[in-house]
Amino acid sequence: MDQLSAISEELAEIDGRIADNFRVLSNGFQKLDKIKDSSRQSRQLEELTDKMRDSKRLIKEFDKEVKALEGNFDRETNKMLTEKKQSMIKELNSYVALKKQYATNIDNKRIELFEGPNEGYTEENVLLASSMTNEQLMDRGNHMMDETDQAIERGKKVVQDTLNVGTETSAALKAQTEQMSRIVNELDSIHFSMKKASQLVKEIGRQVATDKCIMGLLFLIVVGVITIIIVKLVHPNNKDIRDIPGLAPPVMNRRLLSHQFKY
């Protein structure tokens, strides 16, 4: 790649991208051997096929760029670039062959899955049947019927297990739905209680404010009465201050009246 960088940065970039795709393809085909499920193998194979298509496109770009620049290079450089392109094509073809091999294996597994393990060997079965006696044929038929019955029972068990799982899931969903409904109802009750509490707090606040006003007025009245009493005691002859009903006249007036009666 360093040699390509000295020749053309674009060629070096394309070569790097192709090398990245080939590494992904190599690792992907190694992983395919570890995958047992045919569906997962098919998805993995489709991803690898996309990488192969991209690699093929990049090789075409590489070849196009080489042809555009071959007039600027000497004979040895053009030979090296041609060998590089052929090496890419050879490696890509090896991955294409692997892809065909794995695709064939996956198709065979699907045929065995849907048609049964003995469907692919019809001619062999015919030859074996021609060499069997009637008793052997009957035993073979009974054996196949037993295998079919067992397969049917296994299928019924799988269906029943699926139904049980569905029932359990439905019950769990129903319980969760009921729990959510209870939670919503409790939240509504809490919201209502908070609203009533807020109104009660407001009413208590208004009552406290009213009580404070009344206490304030009473305090002012008491202070006024005390003030009048003090003023009357200090200035008993002040005519501008009226007597408070129920309050006895000053002591000086009583003395004057008693003095007049003596005379």
Side-chain angles (χ1 to χ4, degrees):
M1 187 171 178
D2 294 336
Q3 188 177 3
L4 287 176
S5 299
I7 298 173
S8 172
E9 292 292 336
E10 188 170 355
L11 286 176
E13 181 183 357
I14 296 173
D15 180 63
R17 292 167 63 186
I18 293 173
D20 292 338
N21 283 350
F22 285 166
R23 278 194 294 273
V24 173
L25 289 169
S26 178
N27 295 331
F29 280 111
Q30 290 177 4
K31 291 180 181 178
L32 270 177
D33 294 329
K34 301 178 182 179
I35 298 175
K36 302 302 180 182
D37 183 55
S38 59
S39 298
R40 290 180 59 193
Q41 283 184 339
S42 297
R43 290 193 295 269
Q44 179 75 7
L45 201 60
E46 289 176 0
E47 294 177 0
L48 296 177
T49 303
D50 292 336
K51 285 294 181 183
M52 284 186 279
R53 291 195 188 101
D54 186 57
S55 299
K56 183 178 180 181
R57 179 184 60 81
L58 291 172
I59 292 173
K60 287 183 178 180
E61 290 184 6
F62 186 88
D63 181 53
K64 184 178 179 181
E65 186 67 18
V66 168
K67 289 180 179 179
L69 298 175
E70 63 181 355
N72 302 328
F73 304 141
D74 56 16
R75 183 177 179 182
E76 293 297 328
T77 302
N78 288 329
K79 181 180 178 181
M80 185 270 293
L81 293 174
T82 302
E83 292 176 352
K84 182 70 175 177
K85 182 189 69 174
Q86 291 176 352
S87 175
M88 294 176 181
I89 295 173
K90 183 178 179 181
E91 188 171 359
L92 179 61
N93 287 336
S94 66
Y95 291 126
V96 172
L98 280 176
K99 181 250 182 182
K100 291 180 180 179
Q101 179 181 351
Y102 278 102
T104 302
N105 293 336
I106 292 172
D107 290 339
N108 290 337
K109 288 181 181 179
R110 288 177 177 174
I111 291 172
E112 291 178 1
L113 178 64
F114 289 102
E115 294 184 359
N118 297 322
E119 292 292 335
Y121 305 98
T122 305
E123 295 181 359
E124 183 180 355
N125 289 337
V126 171
L127 293 175
L128 289 174
S130 61
S131 61
M132 290 181 179
T133 63
N134 291 333
E135 185 177 356
Q136 290 175 339
L137 288 173
M138 290 180 64
D139 292 338
R140 179 63 178 171
N142 291 331
H143 180 68
M144 292 179 65
M145 290 177 63
D146 291 338
E147 289 181 349
T148 304
D149 291 338
Q150 292 175 3
I152 292 173
E153 291 298 327
R154 288 195 297 270
K156 288 181 179 180
K157 187 176 182 302
V158 171
V159 172
Q160 187 61 41
D161 291 341
T162 304
L163 291 175
N164 292 336
V165 171
T167 303
E168 293 175 359
T169 304
S170 177
L173 289 174
K174 184 178 180 181
Q176 291 178 358
T177 303
E178 293 176 353
Q179 185 177 5
M180 290 296 294
S181 299
R182 289 194 298 271
I183 291 173
V184 171
N185 293 333
E186 290 176 0
L187 289 175
D188 291 338
S189 300
I190 292 172
H191 179 71
F192 179 76
S193 299
M194 290 179 65
K195 187 175 180 180
K196 294 294 290 183
S198 177
Q199 293 177 354
L200 183 60
V201 168
K202 289 180 180 179
E203 292 177 0
I204 292 173
R206 286 196 293 268
Q207 291 178 0
V208 170
T210 303
D211 294 341
K212 286 183 178 180
C213 291
I214 294 173
M215 293 296 293
L217 291 174
L218 291 176
F219 177 74
L220 292 176
I221 292 172
V222 171
V223 170
V225 171
I226 293 172
T227 303
I228 292 172
I229 293 172
I230 293 172
V231 172
K232 289 293 286 183
L233 292 175
V234 175
H235 302 285
N237 297 324
N238 191 348
K239 301 298 183 179
D240 295 331
I241 301 174
R242 298 178 60 185
D243 294 334
I244 300 174
L247 187 64
V251 178
M252 292 297 296
N253 293 337
R254 292 182 179 179
R255 290 181 179 179
L256 290 174
L257 289 173
S258 62
H259 181 71
Q260 290 177 0
F261 283 128
K262 286 180 180 181
Y263 289 101

